[in-house]
Amino acid sequence: MRKTRRACNVPDATIHRLPLYLEKLKLLQAIGVEDVSSRQLAESLDIKASQLRHDFHYFGGFSRPGRPYQVDILVPALEQIIGISQPQPTVILGAGHLGQALANYQNLELQGFPVVGIFDVNPKLIGLEIRGQPVRDMDELELLIRDKGVRIAILTVPAANAQAVTDRLVRAGIVGIFNFAPTDLKVPETVVVRNERLAVGIMSLSFRVKCIIEGGYERTDGLVAGE
Amino acid sequence: MRKTRRACNVPDATIHRLPLYLEKLKLLQAIGVEDVSSRQLAESLDIKASQLRHDFHYFGGFSRPGRPYQVDILVPALEQIIGISQPQPTVILGAGHLGQALANYQNLELQGFPVVGIFDVNPKLIGLEIRGQPVRDMDELELLIRDKGVRIAILTVPAANAQAVTDRLVRAGIVGIFNFAPTDLKVPETVVVRNERLAVGIMSLSFRVKCIIEGGYERTDGLVAGE
DNA sequence: TAGATTGTTAATCGATTAACAATC
DNA sequence: TAGATTGTTAATCGATTAACAATC
């Protein structure tokens, strides 16, 4: 029987490590390193070598037993798995401060996600040039998504508009939404959303900070006294 | 024996849910809801009620058996746990596009993290006003951190400068660093870093998008044929 | 009381780590 | 060969979920 493996069965924890592996491998590639063992690569990421091999095992066939990984094989293999063998054109919805900052963030393009369109409803922003691209009227959205084959959208509109814009993106054929609006989005099962909640991040940091400063948390229930 | 519980023993997964609980509870508070059951609250967050109660159990004593949670008790209790009963002043390092966007992001202030200083090394940016605050020279860093009692810093400088700025922040007494630079930071054990890697986020989204479009991933090792 | 609810422990599930045969 | 390495399975660990006594 043909042995296959569904991509969607790979746990999130593994998926989140793939970009980190890729990043390190590209650094090695840049300095001319040709091959690397799971132990070396894992050590540089502060994880166990067995975890790295277990992660790779979901996809299989990166090396052969006894031979270390070859950087020049692993880099394109990971890029293929992540889906950036070809650049993935993206659009930014909302040309406010955050939208502009992301449009200017050249790392996105370097990592394989060139921004091919920036949209806003504010007439004062429409036409403004950001890294050589004009902020466009929403009228142009569907046409540009179709013409450029865009599948990923970055959402930086106000929370109040986020669902309406999302519905329009879904109808236009967008498959992945990187959501910076602090609100949950309803999408069909064939669309995937990744929420980037800055407030959640800084609050969990705040908890850890408090924990360091205070050294611990004392319960205040009835069990504290008399026992 | 006195029954206590160390804050640092609480798993990350639980900590990351606390801000989500708080957010929902504040929405309920805003529309005048007085009490809420674990089932109701969990359902609105698409998690199991037992998980919510298990999470709360790390801190204990939010209600009594048989009685639902009171919103007006839970909100300040969670704020206290997260460490935002008092606003936590923050500084932003790097007044580039992302730094400016975050300085303009009023949600941060609303959530309890007012920005009290924005710093950069670029003379062209120093003096620029962002939401009533000037971009400051790095010379003023240590004094402002001490004067305002700042413990949390947001790092948006280029990756190449990130470690040097971090070292200076640590010496100045910063305890938590929200790192947007795509690089790992070395800090002492008494300082906590939270990395916000935009590229990792969009890459894991890309993987899921590819997975939806292609429907699966086929192994390409020797096992495919002849078996 | 009957029905609903919490706090808490036990069971389940999934992710990480260890172990090791096969290979170079 | 001896030492090192991968791919793969088994063991361990930790997080999620279920169960239920106590309570209202």
Side-chain angles (χ1 to χ4, degrees), chain A residues 8-156:
Chain A
C8 291
N9 287 342
V10 180
D12 261 343
T14 292
I15 300 307
H16 290 308
R17 281 188 291 267
L18 298 183
L20 304 179
Y21 298 146
L22 180 57
E23 184 181 58
K24 286 287 178 194
L25 286 163
K26 279 182 166 174
L27 288 175
L28 293 176
Q29 203 174 34
I31 58 173
V33 174
E34 291 189 352
D35 45 31
V36 63
S37 70
S38 60
R39 195 180 58 71
Q40 290 170 314
L41 190 52
E43 225 161 59
S44 75
L45 284 158
D46 208 27
I47 62 171
K48 291 280 188 293
S50 57
Q51 176 164 76
L52 185 150
R53 292 201 302 276
H54 200 283
D55 282 344
F56 283 4
H57 183 238
Y58 283 102
F59 309 100
F62 291 149
S63 181
R64 277 169 301 160
R67 302 293 309 152
Y69 298 109
Q70 287 178 261
V71 176
D72 285 343
I73 290 179
L74 217 39
V75 166
L78 286 173
E79 286 177 341
Q80 199 267 318
I81 290 166
I82 293 169
I84 50 176
S85 296
Q86 305 298 321
Q88 290 298 315
T90 60
V91 288
I92 295 178
L93 281 293
H97 294 290
L98 184 57
Q100 289 189 33
L102 292 173
N104 274 295
Y105 189 50
Q106 63 183 39
N107 207 28
L108 273 188
E109 173 144 19
L110 283 174
Q111 305 279 344
F113 301 93
V115 175
V116 299
I118 311 158
F119 296 85
D120 207 294
V121 290
N122 185 346
K124 286 183 193 158
L125 291 173
I126 293 169
L128 176 71
E129 289 244 336
I130 302 174
R131 282 183 98 225
Q133 293 214 36
V135 174
R136 295 170 200 269
D137 191 287
M138 291 287 285
D139 288 350
E140 306 178 39
L141 181 66
E142 286 78 7
L143 194 61
L144 187 136
I145 287 177
R146 200 177 329 141
D147 281 359
K148 306 266 186 181
V150 180
R151 301 192 293 204
I152 293 177
I154 301 174
L155 198 58
T156 69

Side-chain angles (χ1 to χ4, degrees), chain B residues 91-95 117-123 125-127 134-145 153-158 161-172 174:
Chain B
V91 288
I92 293 177
L93 281 292
I118 310 158
F119 296 86
D120 207 294
V121 290
N122 184 345
L125 290 173
I126 293 169
V135 174
R136 296 171 199 270
D137 191 287
M138 291 287 285
D139 287 350
E140 306 178 40
L141 181 67
E142 287 78 7
L143 195 61
L144 187 133
I145 287 176
I154 301 174
L155 198 58
T156 69
V157 303
N161 309 338
Q163 187 60 56
V165 174
T166 296
D167 293 343
R168 191 162 167 184
L169 287 170
V170 170
R171 278 199 303 277
I174 287 294

Side-chain angles (χ1 to χ4, degrees), chain A residues 1-8 10-12 15-16 18-20 22-24 44 57-61 80-84 88 90 97-98 100-102 104-105 107-108 111 113 151-154 175-178 180 182 184 189-194 196-213 215-221 223-224 227, chain B residues 1-8 10-12 15-16 18-20 22-24 44 57-61 80-84 88 90 97-98 100-102 104-105 107-108 111 113 151-154 175-178 180 182 184 189-194 196-213 215-221 223-224 227:
Chain A
M1 195 177 68
R2 191 175 169 80
K3 187 171 181 183
T4 63
R5 209 180 274 268
R6 296 273 128 188
C8 291
V10 180
D12 261 343
I15 300 307
H16 290 308
L18 298 183
L20 304 179
L22 180 57
E23 184 181 58
K24 286 287 178 194
S44 75
H57 183 238
Y58 283 102
F59 309 100
Q80 199 267 318
I81 290 166
I82 293 169
I84 50 176
Q88 290 298 315
T90 60
H97 294 290
L98 184 57
Q100 289 189 33
L102 292 173
N104 274 295
Y105 189 50
N107 207 28
L108 273 188
Q111 305 279 344
F113 301 93
R151 301 192 293 204
I152 293 177
I154 301 174
V175 183
I177 298 174
F178 200 24
F180 286 83
D184 291 330
E189 275 194 5
T190 52
V191 173
V192 57
V193 174
R194 186 183 158 92
E196 199 72 39
R197 297 280 191 96
L198 297 178
V200 170
I202 202 167
M203 282 191 197
S204 62
L205 181 65
S206 172
F207 175 86
R208 295 294 178 198
V209 165
K210 180 167 153 288
C211 157
I212 285 175
I213 290 171
Y217 181 89
E218 311 254 332
R219 283 176 63 122
T220 51
D221 61 22
L223 292 168
V224 173
E227 182 179 18
Chain B
M1 195 177 69
R2 191 175 168 80
K3 187 171 182 182
T4 61
R5 207 181 275 266
R6 296 272 127 187
C8 292
V10 181
D12 260 345
I15 300 307
H16 289 309
L18 297 183
L20 303 178
L22 180 58
E23 184 181 57
K24 285 287 177 194
S44 74
H57 182 237
Y58 282 102
F59 310 100
Q80 199 267 318
I81 290 166
I82 293 169
I84 49 174
Q88 290 298 314
T90 61
H97 294 291
L98 184 57
Q100 288 189 33
L102 293 173
N104 274 296
Y105 189 52
N107 207 27
L108 273 188
Q111 306 279 344
F113 300 94
R151 301 191 294 204
I152 294 176
I154 301 174
V175 183
I177 297 174
F178 200 24
F180 286 83
D184 291 330
E189 275 194 4
T190 52
V191 174
V192 57
V193 173
R194 185 184 159 90
E196 199 72 38
R197 296 278 190 96
L198 297 178
V200 170
I202 201 166
M203 282 192 197
S204 62
L205 181 65
S206 172
F207 175 88
R208 295 294 179 197
V209 165
K210 180 168 152 288
C211 157
I212 285 175
I213 290 170
Y217 181 89
E218 311 253 334
R219 284 175 62 123
T220 51
D221 60 22
L223 292 167
V224 172
E227 186 179 13

